[in-house]
Amino acid sequence: MTTAVDITLLNLPNGEVNTEESVLDKYGYDEWTQEETSRTLPRAVVFAESIADVQAVLRFASEHQIAVVTQGSRTSIVNGSSALSDSIILSLARMNHIIDIQIENQLAIVEPGVLNGTLDEAARKFDYFYAPDPGSKPISTIGGNVATNAGGMSSLKYGTTKQAVLALKVVLASGELIEVGAPVLKNTAAYNLLDLFVGSEGTLGVIVEITVRLLPIPYGASVTGLATFNSMQALTSAVQRIQASGLYPSMLEALNRVSIEALDQYENLDLGARGSQALLIFQLDVAVDGALEVAKQELQAAGAVKVDVTADVERTKEIIKIRQDVFKAGAQYGRLIVEDIAVPLGSLATVVARAEEIAEKYQQRLLLLGHAGDGNLHPDFILESTEGPIPAELDAAIAELLTYVISVGGTVSAEHGIGSLKKKWVDQQLSPAVVQLQKQIKQVFDPQGILNPERKV
């Protein structure tokens, strides 16, 4: 990459180029990345306000071979959008308009800087909703969600972000604007480039407009509940029984003993009463007659100690908040090193047991939680020290766990992306032939390697 060009030569139709050191420092790193990484100041931060701005940046960067790192709200936990040496940070946070909501077509068209929660609130005014709901829903952008194919609590029933994306406008490294997908529910006119961009983490192009599917709010009552168990293994058995029951739950969230204790302290609750070792938060967003009784029977058959359910709207919000607050609760104890794995459903119990064994072996405190219904777990290790590199014993614990996850057919990244922190695991999870194909795809879309280089592939 070149370093000689004067960045002030970059002229934008609408946006702002900022080179103030305080701004470079603020936007030079991902706020949510827990692992210590080297701090690098970008060459400039560009606040784009239009598609034309993005095109201007990429034409300039392509001409002068400057790396471009695209940012939304800087919530990556895998160091996926922090600055690289001599790079331009391209912030899309100001491109935050809902362009159109077309209820007759069950879709919305948005700019990438629109917050997930903002879109959902807007859709609900029409009795529709936006299904993808990552834990960062109030603060993460739709663009960032698309870039990482974010999941969430409702992905069990409604899928991850890619199931909601119908079409994209993308600016390529050359500055050329392309459109992929279409505002329709079925489309086989071309190779599926749409899904190629979903989850690409800004390495193939910059997503500047997104057409997403909206769903009508389900008709009828919904019920939300808490079930406690004497072990995480009993909880995983309950998950499998509920899954096989035909009830089609919209949420099955698991929390281990450490998570329960953290929440009790953080929110002044008593979830851990009578020594509960595991907690399942579940929801049926369409509870037909008899569904609740079936759910209770399946939970109790798997060993549930206590089952509490509610149809009350305010109580439901309280229960959902419990799950949303678990990371904040764990952070009371120190720095969280968040992992993001997904495993075949039949391996859920053995992976949970192995994670607990590894944590004990290396004397690490483990906040184990996740979207158990689709096999997506977050084994989060707690470090008392808030700064400094990861200790060797924790590195060894993570390596042993991720190696085991790969051995059972799982993945080292389910919904948080690869960034730079997970990149070393790509070669271990993927075959050499697939790794080579990924690099060839990158070369087609970004021949100079300027788009978020050193990440994803």
Side-chain angles (χ1 to χ4, degrees):
M1 302 293 176
T2 184
T3 58
V5 64
D6 182 358
I7 202 70
T8 61
L9 296 176
L10 172 52
N11 294 315
L12 302 179
N14 311 106
E16 174 194 352
V17 179
N18 196 307
T19 57
E20 295 177 14
E21 187 168 347
S22 61
V23 174
L24 301 183
D25 183 61
K26 177 180 178 180
Y27 288 87
Y29 72 103
D30 291 314
E31 287 188 305
W32 280 31
T33 295
Q34 293 92 357
E35 297 185 38
E36 185 176 84
T37 57
S38 58
R39 293 287 294 272
T40 301
L41 292 182
R43 184 182 303 197
V45 178
V46 173
F47 297 97
E49 297 186 18
S50 66
I51 293 175
D53 286 339
V54 175
Q55 290 181 287
V57 170
L58 292 186
R59 286 174 184 143
F60 183 87
S62 180
E63 179 184 354
H64 299 289
Q65 297 184 18
I66 302 172
V68 176
V69 179
T70 307
Q71 279 186 356
S73 53
R74 298 165 39 239
T75 57
S76 171
I77 66 170
V78 293
N79 198 40
S81 60
S82 58
L84 299 171
S85 179
D86 291 318
S87 63
I88 293 173
I89 290 292
L90 175 56
S91 172
L92 305 183
R94 294 182 186 177
M95 295 178 65
N96 58 2
H97 301 96
I98 296 176
I99 298 169
D100 195 12
I101 291 181
Q102 301 176 7
I103 293 303
E104 70 278 13
N105 292 322
Q106 297 190 329
L107 61 81
I109 303 172
V110 302
E111 291 183 323
V114 172
L115 297 180
N116 183 303
T118 299
L119 174 59
D120 188 47
E121 289 175 7
R124 288 179 184 272
K125 294 177 182 178
F126 299 92
D127 292 327
Y128 278 69
F129 73 109
Y130 179 61
D133 65 336
S136 58
K137 181 173 184 169
I139 58 173
S140 63
T141 64
I142 301 293
N145 292 169
V146 174
T148 59
N149 190 24
M153 290 184 282
S154 71
S155 60
L156 167 64
K157 183 173 183 178
Y158 296 106
T160 57
T161 298
K162 74 175 182 179
Q163 276 77 37
V165 177
L166 299 175
L168 297 171
K169 287 185 179 179
V170 182
V171 179
L172 301 179
S174 63
E176 180 182 2
L177 177 68
I178 65 169
E179 298 182 36
V180 294
V184 296
L185 301 184
K186 293 181 178 179
N187 180 16
T188 58
Y191 290 127
N192 192 354
L193 298 181
L194 181 69
D195 279 2
L196 194 58
F197 282 106
V198 178
S200 62
E201 301 181 50
T203 62
L204 302 181
V206 178
I207 297 166
V208 291
E209 185 178 290
I210 306 154
T211 300
V212 295
R213 186 177 185 182
L214 302 178
L215 298 176
I217 294 174
Y219 176 79
S222 67
V223 295
T224 305
L226 303 169
T228 56
F229 297 85
N230 287 327
S231 70
M232 283 291 284
Q233 284 64 40
L235 181 149
T236 58
S237 175
V239 167
Q240 291 183 328
R241 293 185 72 101
I242 291 289
Q243 289 280 66
S245 68
L247 293 175
Y248 294 98
S250 55
M251 185 186 305
L252 288 171
E253 297 289 306
L255 295 89
N256 74 339
R257 178 68 188 178
V258 176
S259 304
I260 294 170
E261 291 173 347
L263 284 163
D264 280 348
Q265 182 175 333
Y266 184 75
E267 295 192 352
N268 194 27
L269 303 172
D270 61 350
L271 299 172
R274 297 188 298 280
S276 299
Q277 298 300 308
L279 175 69
L280 180 68
I281 299 176
F282 63 94
Q283 186 174 75
L284 306 175
D285 63 353
V286 181
V288 298
D289 289 345
L292 184 54
E293 287 306 313
V294 171
K296 286 182 177 180
Q297 290 170 11
E298 296 295 345
L299 292 168
Q300 290 167 350
V305 176
K306 184 179 180 181
V307 180
D308 292 327
V309 295
T310 184
D312 179 75
V313 174
E314 292 306 314
R315 176 57 179 155
T316 295
K317 290 180 180 179
E318 292 174 0
I319 292 174
I320 301 302
K321 187 175 185 296
I322 288 171
R323 173 59 181 85
Q324 291 173 333
D325 283 353
V326 67
F327 287 107
K328 295 177 184 177
Q332 298 173 112
Y333 301 140
R335 178 165 43 132
L336 294 182
I337 305 301
V338 178
E339 294 300 327
D340 169 38
I341 63 174
V343 299
L345 294 178
S347 299
L348 194 61
T350 56
V351 171
V352 164
R354 189 62 176 268
E356 292 177 330
E357 290 170 2
I358 290 171
E360 184 176 356
K361 172 182 174 181
Y362 290 95
Q363 298 182 325
Q364 299 297 312
R365 199 170 190 181
L366 180 67
L367 193 80
L368 183 61
L369 62 140
H371 318 304
D374 54 14
N376 179 194
L377 296 173
H378 299 302
D380 304 336
F381 296 91
I382 303 173
L383 289 177
E384 292 184 5
S385 172
T386 58
E387 297 179 352
I390 292 178
E393 58 270 22
L394 178 52
D395 255 340
I398 292 172
E400 188 169 330
L401 174 60
L402 296 186
T403 299
Y404 180 71
V405 166
I406 293 170
S407 74
V408 300
T411 177
V412 299
S413 181
E415 58 181 3
H416 292 167
I418 293 296
S420 60
L421 295 185
K422 288 290 187 72
K423 188 178 176 183
K424 63 184 178 183
W425 292 99
V426 171
D427 287 354
Q428 186 169 334
Q429 180 176 325
L430 305 179
S431 71
V434 172
V435 170
Q436 183 60 27
L437 280 172
Q438 295 221 130
K439 292 179 179 178
Q440 290 172 346
I441 290 170
K442 167 72 169 172
Q443 177 69 20
V444 167
F445 285 92
D446 181 20
Q448 295 185 89
I450 65 170
L451 296 177
N452 211 8
E454 306 172 22
R455 293 184 172 128
K456 186 70 176 180
V457 294

